Amino acid sequence: DAGVIQSPRHEVTEMGQEVTLRCKPISGHDYLFWYRQTMMRGLELLIYFNNNVPIDDSGMPEDRFSAKMPNASFSTLKIQPSEPRDSAVYFCASSLRQKDYEQYFGPGTRLTVT
Amino acid sequence: SQQGEEDPQALSIQEGENATMNCSYKTSINNLQWYRQNSGRGLVHLILIRSNEREKHSGRLRVTLDTSKKSSSLLITASRAADTASYFCATDATVPIEDSGAGSYQLTFGKGTKLSVIP
């Protein structure tokens, strides 16, 4: 398997623009996670899905953020409108099960909002 | 907060030396995991240790867990320049989901120890 795939790897956009980040989890994994990493706050869980259903979105910072998982092989994280404080590295991870299982991380999308 | 905290924040050693990183956490756990992150890359799982285990080995890695002190350590023996990376501990917890009555099982990551191995 190719591992977790994320696109784009880098995104530079202007404040106010819509940004869409994409993720393809490892085939057969039931759980998908979206994280955000910054120097100040470290790695934060934004939302996770189980079998394509959002389970906990309490980490999503505000209504400007939304995530979908239309099928088992694809998920998106959308920011609309984007703001400079959204600049961070966004990771997608997947896991075969939830408890007591390792998570497999994608390479991340480095987002810069100017 | 359940968040684990790694110590030290940064560590610089010579190749061939051992590197020890520590993690402390606050509440009960089912397991604790260690991950590694190379610069500009995603995290890679290294090892998982369950709450009923005290020590675990994987190659040059040795992890210990002391649940009475709520702490764990990661030892890398005979370090190599390629071990240069950030190392994170992650603790699990089930937190209540507001307004749903259900529980959300999550991993919470510390801010990491940045290890530099000098050739």
Side-chain angles (χ1 to χ4, degrees):
Chain A
D1 202 315
V4 176
I5 298 172
Q6 290 187 248
S7 66
R9 291 294 311 277
H10 302 273
E11 177 80 38
V12 180
T13 190
E14 292 184 348
M15 183 174 64
Q17 297 297 306
E18 177 180 298
V19 175
T20 299
L21 312 181
R22 297 172 176 79
C23 174
K24 176 178 167 53
I26 292 173
S27 177
H29 280 192
D30 291 340
Y31 288 85
L32 183 140
F33 307 83
W34 281 101
Y35 290 91
R36 177 172 69 176
Q37 186 177 40
T38 61
M39 289 293 292
M40 289 296 295
R41 300 176 68 89
L43 197 66
E44 302 173 283
L45 176 66
L46 300 177
I47 184 172
Y48 77 89
F49 296 82
N50 176 23
N51 292 323
N52 314 338
V53 176
I55 301 301
D56 185 0
D57 65 355
S58 60
M60 296 285 260
E62 46 198 272
D63 292 345
R64 297 183 297 106
F65 285 68
S66 63
K68 294 181 180 180
M69 192 165 185
N71 57 62
S73 59
F74 183 66
S75 177
T76 60
L77 178 67
K78 187 176 292 187
I79 308 173
Q80 165 64 18
S82 58
E83 297 182 2
R85 60 191 167 125
D86 301 330
S87 297
V89 181
Y90 291 81
F91 289 101
C92 174
S94 70
S95 177
L96 184 62
R97 300 287 185 266
Q98 191 176 30
K99 286 191 177 183
D100 298 343
Y101 275 79
E102 63 188 277
Q103 295 184 10
Y104 293 80
F105 282 73
T109 295
R110 181 173 293 277
L111 173 65
T112 303
V113 183
T114 60
Chain B
S1 167
Q2 174 65 34
Q3 186 176 36
E5 294 183 4
E6 292 90 346
D7 168 60
Q9 289 187 322
L11 179 62
S12 184
I13 60 173
Q14 295 289 329
E15 202 166 28
E17 294 181 339
N18 295 341
T20 299
M21 289 158 272
N22 303 296
C23 171
S24 60
Y25 57 93
K26 295 180 181 176
T27 60
S28 297
I29 59 171
N30 295 309
N31 67 66
L32 184 145
Q33 303 183 33
W34 284 91
Y35 287 78
R36 161 192 170 134
Q37 183 179 33
N38 286 75
S39 180
R41 303 286 186 92
L43 279 73
V44 175
H45 181 264
L46 295 176
I47 200 164
L48 180 154
I49 186 166
R50 301 183 194 284
S51 59
N52 61 354
E53 298 175 311
R54 291 296 166 258
E55 188 170 312
K56 206 161 183 179
H57 296 256
S58 177
R60 293 184 295 112
L61 304 181
R62 173 178 169 250
V63 169
T64 61
L65 179 63
D66 187 335
T67 53
S68 66
K69 294 182 180 178
K70 293 185 170 58
S71 67
S72 173
S73 67
L74 170 67
L75 169 67
I76 303 174
T77 59
S79 64
R80 305 166 182 168
D83 295 328
T84 294
S86 292
Y87 292 82
F88 297 84
C89 69
T91 52
D92 68 335
T94 300
V95 296
I97 302 175
E98 197 173 311
D99 298 330
S100 81
S104 171
Y105 179 85
Q106 298 180 5
L107 283 185
T108 303
F109 290 81
K111 291 194 175 178
T113 292
K114 191 169 185 177
L115 173 67
S116 299
V117 181
I118 303 166

